[in-house]
Amino acid sequence: MDFKQPRALVTVAEVGSVTRAAELLHLVQPAVTRQIKALEAELGVPLFDRTWQGMRPTEAGVTMAERARRALTELDRARAEVAPARGAVTGIVTLGLLESAAGLIAEPLTSAVLRAHPGIELRLQTGYSGHLRRWLDEGDLDVSLLYDITDSPSLTVTPVVRERLWVLAPPAAGLDPQRPVSFARIARDPLVLPSPGHGLRSLIDTAARQAGAELIPSVQTNSMPLQKRLVLAGHGWTILPGVGIAGDIAAGRLTGAPVREPEVWRSIAVARPRSGRVPPAVDVVARELLCQVRAAVADGRWPSAEPLIGDGGR
């Protein structure tokens, strides 16, 4: 099977340079140039704008590169599945992890999967739930953690855990994990909040309305690490899931406490696309993901978390 043209297209689009793409593909530069020009001639549209800064994909080039990337991934996956060692589970699995939970789940899950199934190639992607959901629907992920999703016609959803939201503040605030903080108290300080439209921000705004509290954002951002850095720098308090701040509180970098009046919870689920056959490697990773989440809750590494009813009876 000859996929030289789509590989050249994807590589040039990613690195923005024919010279660099040729190095990565172990080809001479004129060969890559010929492949791109041949593909443009076949399609009848330019795929790149040639600028002094390098090769910049046109709108058509972006579309073709996205489709070609998925096709090449599926080809790599098929090659891994059709010629496995006897009795081995092999293949490529692209896994989505919530940014807040990645630090807790990624390393033990990777170790467990690769120890038991060294023929599996894991590709980990992190992001917020909305991004991960879109990537699942578009076929860029095989399985993912999502929050606050209970059912979907396009996804198979397994609820796993629910967790409480916490308020996070600089050490001088002296918040105590054993003494939850009310929304009325939180509203008295400037806040570093998730950007509007973010799922976590929707939970926060709903709870604030219930409490009759007006939240004053000093900064809004779509980055959880940036939220924590801005809190540490003294720009306000923030509200985050317990799983995303446990290490910071344990290390004394920040102080935190669960939110009350009202309490705010989010549910976490493992989701997979409904359509198509589930490759054995994807099934293995999905099962291990469930195991790692359950283990983190059971041994207390996931703060303020509770197993959900319907999670395999646990």
Side-chain angles (χ1 to χ4, degrees), residues 96-119:
L97 294 174
L98 294 164
E99 186 180 52
S100 56
L104 181 65
I105 298 298
E107 192 283 324
L109 181 139
T110 299
S111 296
V113 168
L114 299 187
R115 181 171 57 248
H117 304 282

Side-chain angles (χ1 to χ4, degrees), residues 118-140:
I120 291 178
E121 179 185 330
L122 269 178
R123 299 180 179 180
L124 303 181
Q125 301 286 339
T126 64
Y128 290 110
S129 190
H131 298 151
L132 296 172
R133 171 67 186 274
R134 185 176 71 249
W135 297 339
L136 269 176
D137 288 338
E138 293 176 352
D140 292 327

Side-chain angles (χ1 to χ4, degrees), residues 13-300:
E14 288 177 346
V15 303
S17 163
V18 171
T19 301
R20 179 60 180 146
E23 293 174 356
L24 293 173
L25 294 169
H26 305 291
L27 297 171
V28 295
Q29 181 176 334
V32 176
T33 300
R34 284 196 301 270
Q35 289 162 4
I36 296 298
K37 287 184 176 179
L39 191 53
E40 289 178 323
E42 179 181 343
L43 296 171
V45 294
L47 298 175
F48 292 93
D49 290 325
R50 281 77 170 171
T51 73
W52 66 272
Q53 293 177 315
M55 301 282 281
R56 185 174 62 193
T58 62
E59 184 175 345
V62 170
T63 299
M64 285 297 299
E66 289 177 353
R67 300 296 190 272
R69 186 180 295 108
R70 291 174 190 165
L72 292 170
T73 297
E74 286 302 311
L75 175 63
D76 290 341
R77 176 177 288 129
R79 282 172 168 161
E81 289 179 16
V82 298
R86 185 179 299 275
V89 177
T90 64
I92 298 168
V93 181
T94 305
L95 170 65
L97 294 174
L98 294 164
E99 186 180 52
S100 56
L104 181 65
I105 298 298
E107 192 283 324
L109 181 139
T110 299
S111 296
V113 168
L114 299 187
R115 181 171 57 248
H117 304 282
I120 291 178
E121 179 185 330
L122 269 178
R123 299 180 179 180
L124 303 181
Q125 301 286 339
T126 64
Y128 290 110
S129 190
H131 298 151
L132 296 172
R133 171 67 186 274
R134 185 176 71 249
W135 297 339
L136 269 176
D137 288 338
E138 293 176 352
D140 292 327
L141 294 177
D142 298 305
V143 59
S144 183
L145 287 179
L146 299 177
Y147 69 77
D148 289 339
I149 178 171
T150 55
D151 193 20
S152 168
S154 63
L155 301 175
T156 298
V157 178
T158 303
V160 189
V161 64
R162 73 170 192 153
E163 65 167 339
R164 198 168 172 182
L165 297 192
W166 286 45
V167 60
L168 194 66
L175 299 184
D176 183 347
Q178 303 304 316
R179 300 176 62 186
V181 180
S182 70
F183 253 92
R185 169 63 189 88
I186 294 169
R188 297 207 299 264
D189 278 86
L191 291 171
V192 179
L193 292 178
S195 300
H198 186 285
L200 189 61
R201 177 65 181 273
S202 298
L203 288 175
I204 294 168
D205 287 345
T206 298
R209 286 194 296 271
Q210 292 174 3
E214 181 181 357
L215 303 183
I216 305 171
S218 59
V219 186
Q220 302 178 69
T221 175
N222 64 352
S223 167
M224 187 184 73
L226 187 54
Q227 279 179 258
K228 293 191 287 187
R229 289 181 62 183
L230 291 171
V231 170
L232 185 59
H235 294 290
W237 295 11
T238 194
I239 300 174
L240 287 169
V243 68
I245 62 177
D248 300 282
I249 293 175
R253 290 187 293 270
L254 295 164
T255 59
V259 172
R260 68 178 176 91
E261 297 177 1
E263 295 181 0
V264 187
W265 297 80
R266 70 172 186 173
S267 60
I268 307 292
V270 174
R272 298 189 307 202
R274 286 187 185 274
S275 60
R277 179 183 69 89
V278 179
V282 173
D283 187 60
V284 163
V285 172
R287 290 176 183 275
E288 187 58 43
L289 178 59
L290 285 167
C291 288
Q292 292 297 330
V293 171
R294 291 166 178 159
V297 174
D299 63 21

